[in-house]
Amino acid sequence: MLPDIFKGIALFTPGGDLIYCIDPDKQTHWHLNLCAALQSALGLSEPPHFLVPSFTATIDRWRDPYSHRIHTRAEVYPLVRRYQPLLNAIFATDDRAWFTVPWQEQSSNPTILETYRQQFPQLWQSHDLILRYQEHHPTTSGINADSDYSNPSPKGYVLRLFVSGNNANTKHTLESIHQLLERELHHPYTLKVIDISKHPEQAESNHVSAIPTLVRVWPQPVKRIIGEFEDLPRVLQIIATS
């Protein structure tokens, strides 16, 4: 039985699998925890941070301090709004109509999301997975019922690097950013490199007007770093600052 007051977060895969959590203390941001648990459940090479927030839904139930009535705010992103009946079932919200979060091109671009399919084919397959994540007591329905999830990192990043062509400048930029992230970030991340000479539409949809440009898609707010990235400590500060 669910508590009267809680925050719930659900993370779907493109194939329709689901992992979710219920936090009665409403103290923790669980998105990255769910990504790490999904990595373990499906045997992924790394946590699929790019699913956040495009494939997520959140629900918040709180008590009004004056009227003592229970209020509910339920939000779902466009890519997973068809799962509202399932969300109502796992969060015991009857036939509630979930509020659809306005489309965010930065984080929900279907063309960019599709580029992850080759690296993470399991996410596009249906495993009939419904998994409830709890920090110390995960329970599953579907696959990997005996999985043991370690406590994942509390923070992670989704980054996109826009370059143009395969030249010496691009190679230098890639090496610099890769070394910076590996040596200094100390948190899980997903870096997607986009060549605007091959995908000019991505530059337009992401409002990229100069290259190289590094975009921090998650966590929000979105941040952009434009230039040759010679001042790497400054780049790291911008990436890591809320």
Side-chain angles (χ1 to χ4, degrees):
M1 184 174 181
L2 296 182
D4 290 336
I5 307 299
F6 69 89
K7 183 174 183 179
I9 299 175
L11 174 66
F12 290 88
T13 69
D17 291 322
L18 166 65
I19 182 170
Y20 70 100
C21 65
I22 296 172
D23 181 8
D25 298 323
K26 305 171 67 171
Q27 298 296 316
T28 306
H29 298 286
W30 288 93
H31 293 87
L32 278 303
N33 302 61
L34 296 184
C35 287
L38 195 61
Q39 175 192 13
S40 178
L42 297 180
L44 306 177
S45 59
E46 60 185 80
H49 296 144
F50 61 90
L51 296 178
V52 180
S54 308
F55 288 88
T56 61
T58 59
I59 182 169
D60 190 7
R61 287 174 60 90
W62 74 96
R63 188 184 304 275
D64 187 288
Y66 301 103
S67 67
H68 302 290
R69 294 181 57 188
I70 299 294
H71 296 272
T72 302
R73 174 73 172 179
E75 299 182 339
V76 63
Y77 276 80
L79 290 178
V80 294
R81 60 186 171 191
R82 65 184 182 276
Y83 297 116
Q84 290 184 55
L86 176 56
L87 291 167
N88 284 327
I90 64 175
F91 293 121
T93 45
D94 298 324
D95 295 325
R96 168 171 292 275
W98 290 54
F99 172 76
T100 301
V101 180
W103 185 264
Q104 298 186 18
E105 190 69 31
Q106 286 288 345
S107 59
S108 304
N109 189 302
T111 303
I112 291 181
L113 291 172
E114 183 66 21
T115 64
Y116 291 97
R117 184 192 287 258
Q118 184 174 1
Q119 182 180 358
F120 300 94
Q122 303 96 316
L123 297 177
W124 272 260
Q125 302 164 359
S126 176
H127 303 89
D128 296 322
L129 172 67
I130 299 177
L131 183 153
R132 178 173 175 178
Y133 178 87
Q134 295 174 319
E135 188 167 10
H136 301 295
H137 305 286
T139 58
T140 64
S141 171
I143 65 171
N144 293 347
D146 296 322
S147 295
D148 180 19
Y149 302 108
S150 59
N151 188 20
S153 172
K155 198 171 187 180
Y157 297 88
V158 178
L159 307 168
R160 293 177 189 157
L161 177 64
F162 291 85
V163 297
S164 181
N166 184 20
N167 50 51
N169 289 336
T170 295
K171 183 178 179 180
H172 174 70
T173 298
L174 288 173
E175 290 176 348
S176 298
I177 293 299
H178 178 72
Q179 291 177 8
L180 175 69
L181 297 176
E182 288 294 310
R183 296 177 181 177
E184 305 294 339
L185 190 56
H186 305 307
H187 290 292
Y189 69 89
T190 297
L191 175 66
K192 189 70 176 179
V193 180
I194 300 172
D195 185 348
I196 66 171
S197 67
K198 298 180 179 178
H199 304 283
E201 74 283 357
Q202 298 303 326
E204 181 178 357
S205 63
N206 285 269
H207 307 290
V208 173
S209 57
I211 54 97
T213 293
L214 182 66
V215 180
R216 188 190 78 176
V217 178
W218 183 265
Q220 296 183 344
V222 173
K223 292 189 176 183
R224 291 178 178 81
I225 307 170
I226 303 172
E228 296 301 327
F229 308 126
E230 297 298 334
D231 189 351
L232 291 179
R234 173 181 171 273
V235 173
L236 180 65
Q237 181 181 21
I238 294 175
I239 292 174
T241 301
S242 301

